[in-house]
Amino acid sequence: METTEYNDNFDPKCIASGIPLLPFTNQVGGHTPFFRFSKRAICKPAAPKEQEFYVYLESNHPELLPFLSQYLGLLNATYYQDSRALLPEVIFDDNEQLLKDWYSLGNQQIDRGTAATAATPDILNDDFQQWSPNADECNSRFTEFRKRVLCEVFNPSALRERMKLQHDALEQQELQQQQEASATPAIEKMIIQLKPVLNESNVKSTEPLCTEPASLTTPSLSSLHEHQNDEAITSSLDISRKGSTTSHAFNHDDDNDNASSASSARWQLRRTPTNPWGQQVYERDRLKLQQLNEGNVVKQFILLEDLTDNIQCPCVLDLKMGNRHYGVFSNEVKMKSQTSKCINSTSHQLGVRICGMQVYKRDEKRFDFHDKYMGRLLDEEGFKKNLVDYLDGRLNHIPVLLKKLNRLARIIRSLKGYRFYASSLLLIYDGGKPENSKDCRIDVRMIDFAKCVSPDDDTANFTYPPENPDGPDEGYLLGISSLIEKFTDIHNEQQRKTSP
């Protein structure tokens, strides 16, 4: 069992001025790119209301915390308008609170194995959605989780390793840019070509996924991105091979497994796919930043729990909930646009539509990807069929999923005056786990709170206030009810097929 000691005298700034963020490869939806801060935490571009809403729920509704991605605070990240423009960097001097949190750990110790400290042996692995944890249990999990995230980033060996990755990545980026200038189309052409491909209802990988779990020890690292072997997954866009212009940050080199097992950084990713939607939003954002002429750009991110951590083959379903997706401060054009999307999709009738999906097809050893454009085209029967596709025969998840959905519905029904406009519900399970595995579970998490409303919000300037403001969010409840109905039907139909 490996243990890492904190040293309250160690200053990360003596090794580096900051750390680069890494692309997050399991992003199935959204309009802006997510980045990976550590093995357990990701960064999402900050919206003031979303950050406030996380803090508000944490303070006022601990019963909802098991259904949220754990919020860890705000970060400032700098995009350099030079050779380092590939990835944003968290500059330590611009993130004093982050270092204060690290220093506050003092000389404590943290176990980096599967168990937490002696006081909380399983608190990070327990499925809190299976019961109703009290506020103290939630706070204990939060404290332990935050310790691990900080240790993964700021202990000396982890920090030195990350700096080596950055150096290697910049060298390879410079080489790649030279090759692109003479042998490949411009990045603008790739962006234009990406969207039509992603509009296909089913994007399949062209190569089998290596189902062997990647070691959490760090291999011989020649670049900043994730490493895979000769059977590495790629999307049908085949962006990571054949001379494409996709950013080096998303490319996958072959791993010769000449590993250095002594590293304690352990934030190297699992062997997972690169979702083509995540590639598209990353490249679009990078292109916009490269066109700016105002020097370095600083953006604010919220730091959240990575819900795909420790998942070998992440199967992710992004469900946009409710039958109203425009916010209370929307203008008329936005209101009409969002209303039209709801009316012309399953959002109107069911209160839910598919906004993105990736699923591991275990029989074919590949991933399928679906985007939000496919989700808008589905009718009620097509929506149900895609739920079946998402489970890929793993119907043992349904009883637990129904239990969790019913628990969440009871909580939402008790939240009078709240509205979760345009938020999503994520369903996540590991497609690489055997069905009879004791840790094979399905997770249910609420995300995307930029347009949400709490009872304490000032309604004076609302352009489109909620109907029945003293009641719960009936649109969100309709979406949960529809999911319960569809998954129940799927389960019953399967039982009838298998019964003698």
Side-chain angles (χ1 to χ4, degrees), residues 9 50 56 65 70 88 114 116 125 139 147 185 211 217 221 226 232 239 279 281 316 338 369 398 452 462 480 493:
N9 295 318
E50 182 164 31
Y56 187 90
L65 293 182
Q70 189 160 292
T114 57
N125 297 322
N139 287 334
K147 286 180 182 178
T211 57
T217 57
L221 300 170
E226 303 145 21
I239 286 174
Q279 286 180 275
V281 295
V316 184
Q338 293 295 337
F369 304 103
I398 292 182
C452 291
F462 285 1
I480 297 179
E493 289 169 4

Side-chain angles (χ1 to χ4, degrees), residues 436-447:
N436 57 356
S437 174
K438 64 179 181 180
D439 57 349
C440 181
R441 72 188 192 203
I442 190 163
D443 209 3
V444 179
R445 302 293 181 112
M446 300 173 68
I447 61 168

Side-chain angles (χ1 to χ4, degrees), residues 471-482:
D473 190 332
E474 295 294 346
Y476 200 101
L477 289 170
L478 171 63
I480 297 179
S481 177
S482 296

Side-chain angles (χ1 to χ4, degrees), residues 312-327:
Q312 178 185 345
C313 300
C315 298
V316 184
L317 181 61
D318 185 337
L319 299 162
K320 188 172 285 291
M321 302 296 289
N323 48 19
R324 168 178 163 173
H325 298 154
Y326 58 92

Side-chain angles (χ1 to χ4, degrees), residues 58 61-66 123 128-129 131-142 407:
E58 183 180 305
H61 295 286
E63 72 276 13
L64 197 58
L65 293 182
I123 205 159
F128 272 18
Q129 294 175 353
W131 67 87
S132 298
N134 58 40
D136 289 341
E137 289 173 319
C138 289
N139 287 334
S140 295
R141 186 186 189 280
F142 172 85
R407 184 181 298 279

Side-chain angles (χ1 to χ4, degrees), residues 261-273:
S261 60
S263 171
S264 61
R266 293 180 173 235
W267 49 264
Q268 188 71 8
L269 272 187
R270 292 73 62 196
R271 288 190 175 99
T272 59

